[in-house]
Amino acid sequence: MLSVRLKTLRKELKKTQQDIADYLGITRSAYTAYEIDRRSPDHETLSKLANLYNVSIDYLLGRTNNRTPLNEKDERDIAKRIKQFRQEIEDSDGLAFDGEPMSEEAKESLVESMEHIFRQTQRINKKYTPKKYRDDQ
């Protein structure tokens, strides 16, 4: 999925593989390896590509079909919601899973799952915000 999206996005910008490689500070052959799925970029490179194409890393990796990345305000809102959720879990008495007290690992897994849900919800809600209001956020 990554290789297909990289190639599609590059062509949409009317850029060559060499242009993208220069932007990333790598060789053309290294970038070509990403587009033909012989090599995977590291997180820093994925972040640079997402910024260049104005998409989320999740979109590049095929985890979502929504191209719209979250802005700083969205990230702050998500962080606030996660903090509140984490606090609610800590303050809960008798939190259990399958009749057993929930372990710290299970609680952390629950928080990670909720973060994913918060992010997806934010993207979906952003998708339906009228365009004239998006720039004000």
Side-chain angles (χ1 to χ4, degrees):
M1 182 60 74
L2 174 65
S3 59
V4 172
R5 290 199 170 168
L6 287 176
K7 188 173 185 177
T8 302
L9 290 166
R10 178 180 56 79
K11 287 184 176 189
E12 285 176 9
L13 283 183
K14 296 179 175 47
K15 299 287 185 184
T16 66
Q17 289 181 341
Q18 187 63 55
D19 293 334
I20 306 303
D22 291 344
Y23 171 80
L24 296 173
I26 60 175
T27 64
R28 185 189 57 76
S29 61
Y31 180 76
T32 301
Y34 300 153
E35 282 196 6
I36 61 173
D37 206 21
R38 285 205 179 140
R39 211 173 139 198
S40 296
D42 60 19
H43 185 74
E44 183 180 338
T45 304
L46 276 173
S47 182
K48 286 180 181 179
L49 288 165
N51 287 336
L52 174 67
Y53 296 128
N54 196 30
V55 297
S56 67
I57 291 175
D58 285 341
Y59 176 78
L60 288 176
L61 296 175
R63 294 178 187 155
T64 182
N65 289 326
N66 187 353
R67 288 185 173 201
T68 309
L70 298 175
N71 60 31
E72 289 179 33
K73 182 185 179 301
D74 295 333
E75 291 293 343
R76 284 192 307 270
D77 290 346
I78 290 168
K80 183 178 175 182
R81 290 172 72 186
I82 291 168
K83 184 178 177 182
Q84 289 171 341
F85 183 74
R86 189 180 300 272
Q87 190 62 44
E88 288 174 11
I89 288 177
E90 294 300 320
D91 294 344
S92 298
D93 288 336
L95 191 60
F97 179 72
D98 200 24
E100 296 292 321
M102 207 171 217
S103 68
E104 289 303 314
E105 294 83 17
K107 288 178 184 178
E108 190 58 35
S109 179
L110 180 60
V111 169
E112 289 173 7
S113 297
M114 289 305 296
E115 179 178 1
H116 177 73
I117 290 168
F118 293 154
R119 287 183 181 284
Q120 288 299 95
T121 303
Q122 193 76 20
R123 283 188 191 102
I124 291 167
N125 288 340
K126 188 176 186 119
K127 183 177 170 182
Y128 296 107
T129 302
K131 197 168 193 167
K132 67 180 182 179
Y133 296 114
R134 288 185 194 163
D135 295 334
D136 296 338
Q137 294 179 347

